Amino acid sequence: YVTIGANGVIYIDKKAVSRQELQARMANIHANNPSVSVVLQADEVVAFKEIVSVLDILTELGIKGLKIATANK
């Protein structure tokens, strides 16, 4: 899971990372598993542009298995 918290902090599997770390770690994961799927979830207060920014990083790396998680209320 890649998560964007309400405060805008990005997490990979619950570990906070910078955008640069996100790119580096996901590039490494993708290199080792080109068919990797990534689930992106974001708090409802996160601005859409922040979500798109993270999606851009993932798609630029060539990750094709992107999924967006939604929360049922």
Side-chain angles (χ1 to χ4, degrees):
Y1 274 90
V2 174
T3 306
I4 308 171
N7 55 3
V9 175
I10 301 169
Y11 300 87
I12 297 177
D13 295 328
K14 300 183 182 179
K15 181 185 180 299
V17 295
S18 68
R19 290 184 187 284
Q20 294 80 13
E21 289 171 312
L22 171 69
Q23 187 169 17
R25 289 192 54 196
M26 293 310 299
N28 186 43
I29 290 168
H30 184 251
N32 290 318
N33 181 5
S35 62
V36 67
S37 288
V38 177
V39 177
L40 175 63
Q41 66 182 53
D43 189 275
E44 64 184 12
V45 301
V46 173
F48 187 68
K49 68 178 182 176
E50 297 297 325
I51 296 168
V52 171
S53 173
V54 170
L55 286 171
D56 285 347
I57 290 170
L58 298 173
T59 56
E60 286 174 9
L61 292 171
I63 296 172
K64 305 245 187 276
L66 295 173
K67 297 170 179 49
I68 298 177
T70 59
N72 293 329
K73 291 203 173 195

